[in-house]
Amino acid sequence: MEAQVLVPQALNYWAILVAAAAYFVLGALWYAPPVFGKVWRTGIGKTDEQVKADFSPWNLVWTFIFSFVAAYGVARLVQWSGGTSAGDGLLVAFLAGVCFAAATVAMHHVMEKRPCSLTVVNALYSIVGFLLMGLIVGAWR
């Protein structure tokens, strides 16, 4: 059996940047009060005032950086899997979203005794966000 080497090739960093921005914006919408913001705040046990008091612009900076890291990872996985289309990007991103992101969120929430509703909101955000990123990087190859 011959070992397969995953050779990094050039990636489309514009697609990665757009995918990261899309994931970031999705988070702003997802966690807005009319969508899942109230469920999220209840799940973390904080009031609106506490969330506002804890806010720092650095939260947004770090969130975007981590969104970029996730988009880079999805793009690299799509490339390494030989993906060449939006459908390929969706498939890889779905697997990554469920198997890595959502599963990790769920493990932390189980150990932290977080409410099931919070786990569902956060895990689904990861899955939907990864699908969005996979669609973008897969289509923009």
Side-chain angles (χ1 to χ4, degrees), residues 39-58:
V39 175
W40 174 75
R41 277 193 302 283
T42 300
I44 64 171
K46 292 191 176 188
T47 65
D48 288 342
E49 293 76 26
Q50 289 171 314
V51 170
K52 288 176 185 172
D54 289 345
F55 177 77
S56 162
W58 283 105

Side-chain angles (χ1 to χ4, degrees), residues 70 73-74 77-78 80-83 86-105 123 126-135:
V74 169
L77 289 172
V78 170
W80 282 342
S81 72
D88 294 337
L90 284 170
L91 178 61
V92 169
F94 178 74
L95 289 170
V98 170
C99 299
F100 302 128
T104 300
V105 164
S126 294
I127 293 168
V128 172
F130 272 59
L131 286 169
L132 183 59
M133 291 187 295
L135 178 66

